[in-house]
Amino acid sequence: MGEISVDRRQLDHLLADSASGYAVPYQEAFARLAATHRGRPVEVIVPLLKQAAERALLGFTGADLVDQARAISSGAPYELRIRVTGR
């Protein structure tokens, strides 16, 4: 399981059902990679996740991205705990 802190004003960058104008929310990118990259090496998946996180303005650590890539590679479910900060 991963954990990320997101300012409440940036929560829409993470959620696919938000009113955000971002074309590729991270949740959708993750799901697409999970569907297309199962069984591929973690080293191939991490840069793709990093690009998606940067487009969505999310600050995942390298360790977070590796954990997510391992889940995608193995087909295991991945649970992300989101801590919303700010007022």
Side-chain angles (χ1 to χ4, degrees):
M1 174 190 333
E3 181 173 320
I4 186 170
S5 294
V6 178
D7 185 280
R8 67 177 176 82
R9 294 167 294 184
Q10 296 177 329
L11 191 58
D12 67 331
H13 295 253
L14 185 64
L15 301 176
D17 61 349
S18 72
S20 172
Y22 289 86
V24 185
Y26 190 76
Q27 184 179 356
E28 290 177 0
F30 183 93
R32 187 173 51 255
L33 287 170
T36 60
H37 284 68
R38 185 175 184 173
R40 295 208 182 164
V42 169
E43 298 80 20
V44 170
I45 301 168
V46 168
L48 301 172
L49 288 171
K50 183 175 181 178
Q51 289 174 352
E54 287 173 355
R55 279 193 306 268
L57 305 176
L58 295 171
F60 286 114
T61 67
D64 289 332
L65 295 172
V66 168
D67 285 346
Q68 292 175 37
R70 285 184 184 139
I72 288 171
S73 180
S74 69
Y78 184 79
E79 185 175 316
L80 178 63
R81 180 178 299 144
I82 302 168
R83 180 177 304 159
V84 180
T85 61
R87 296 180 189 210

